Amino acid sequence: MEWGQVRVIAAKEFRDRIRNRWVVAVAVIFALFALAIAYFGASQQGEVGFRSIDVTVASLVSLVIYLVPLIALILGYDAIVGERERGSLELMLSMPITRFEILLGKYCGLAAALAMSTVLGFGAGLLPLAAELTVRDGYHYAGFVGSAILMGMAFLSISMLVSVLALDRVRASGVAIGLWFFFVLIFDLLLMGALVLSQGRLGSNTFAALLMLNPADVFRLLNIFSSEQAQSMYGLATVMPGGLTDPAVLLAIMAGWVVIPFLLANWSFKCPSR
């Protein structure tokens, strides 16, 4: 594999997102929400102002679960099918470059744009409150931002798989939006329904294993079990087995969500029919 060609494709994808102000727009959205939640998150209790980084992160987790997957899916759904419809994919494949290099280059460029917008947005959002943060708060918040980027990369891998499999951009966009609804809105409702219908027969181990099938839930658990205060707010510590509360295990599972859909996309992209 020629890494130079991967870098060229990645740089082009990244520059395209910078040129059309995509990174700036997403960063501004993240910054505004982060600042609003950090400062006004306790307004329902009659308090205004920054309380603690644990409360802020716990509130931001719910917001990120809605926004980051949607942004990642929209960002990557036409990465391959769009090139195919424009006729530029055939031109690229006629050059001395492999399909894997094309796919990896596009993924790296899009992931870099997503990571930059996330870091800039959430970093700028808490910048006005920097004087109130301790070193421990900074590390905790950095871990939250890093986990948000990792979840975005997982959904970006899923969107790349959609883009490879889709016949056209319209269908790809529909599948991407449908996957967002499923993972963010429907999955947990189905899981709760199964838990109720089982009348307690669905054990904690099975329940926890099913949660691992959703990268959004893995992200939520990763941030919950990084803070004792967040655990008390969500109340999941009593139902999760100890092995799946270890952040290292949850990070490994999230990494699997990044790698496996990408490998499936690469395998499908290499098929002659593609």
Side-chain angles (χ1 to χ4, degrees):
M1 184 174 65
E2 294 289 338
W3 286 103
Q5 298 186 16
V6 174
R7 285 195 297 270
V8 169
I9 295 176
K12 178 185 179 301
E13 291 291 332
F14 183 77
R15 285 195 303 270
D16 288 344
R17 296 310 180 277
I18 296 292
R19 192 177 299 118
N20 63 18
R21 297 182 176 85
W22 183 92
V23 171
V24 175
V26 173
V28 169
I29 292 172
F30 285 160
L32 292 176
F33 276 115
L35 181 60
I37 288 178
Y39 197 76
F40 299 106
S43 59
Q44 292 180 343
Q45 286 77 38
E47 300 179 18
V48 175
F50 179 72
R51 294 177 62 190
S52 72
I53 196 65
D54 291 331
V55 174
T56 300
V57 167
S59 300
L60 282 173
V61 163
S62 299
L63 171 71
V64 167
I65 285 177
Y66 284 96
L67 284 182
V68 171
L70 179 62
I71 292 170
L73 288 166
I74 292 176
L75 182 61
Y77 80 90
D78 67 340
I80 299 300
V81 71
E83 297 281 3
R84 187 183 297 125
E85 285 193 350
R86 290 188 293 269
S88 53
L89 181 61
E90 288 76 10
L91 178 61
M92 294 174 65
L93 293 175
S94 67
M95 300 177 182
I97 184 171
T98 65
R99 290 174 179 259
F100 178 73
E101 291 167 352
I102 294 173
L103 196 66
L104 181 60
K106 284 184 169 292
Y107 180 83
C108 290
L110 296 175
L114 180 62
M116 175 175 281
S117 62
T118 304
V119 171
L120 291 178
F122 286 120
L126 279 198
L127 193 60
L129 304 172
E132 303 183 49
L133 300 178
T134 65
V135 175
R136 179 259 177 193
D137 291 341
Y139 280 118
H140 188 186
Y141 193 69
F144 158 73
V145 174
S147 65
I149 293 173
L150 196 59
M151 179 180 63
M153 293 174 64
F155 278 96
L156 183 60
S157 292
I158 295 173
S159 69
M160 296 291 287
L161 177 59
V162 170
S163 187
V164 170
L165 296 175
L167 297 178
D168 53 63
R169 293 178 71 252
V170 174
R171 297 182 189 182
S173 63
V175 172
I177 297 300
L179 287 173
W180 179 80
F181 271 102
F182 175 75
F183 282 115
V184 174
L185 300 175
I186 299 176
F187 184 89
D188 288 345
L189 291 177
L190 292 176
L191 194 55
M192 291 298 104
L195 189 62
V196 172
L197 291 175
S198 69
Q199 297 181 349
R201 290 190 297 271
L202 188 65
S204 61
N205 290 330
T206 303
F207 177 80
L210 291 174
L211 284 176
M212 299 303 105
L213 299 178
N214 186 349
D217 283 328
V218 178
F219 165 79
R220 181 186 287 113
L221 293 172
L222 188 58
N223 284 278
I224 288 174
F225 288 104
S226 64
S227 166
E228 292 184 2
Q229 187 173 0
Q231 290 181 40
S232 63
M233 292 174 65
Y234 281 89
L236 280 172
T238 58
V239 299
M240 292 294 294
L244 290 178
T245 61
D246 186 351
V249 175
L250 293 171
L251 282 172
I253 295 172
M254 185 69 86
W257 271 105
V258 175
V259 173
I260 292 174
F262 181 83
L263 293 179
L264 290 174
N266 178 57
W267 174 79
S268 180
F269 194 37
K270 288 182 176 180
C271 292
S273 59
R274 300 290 173 186

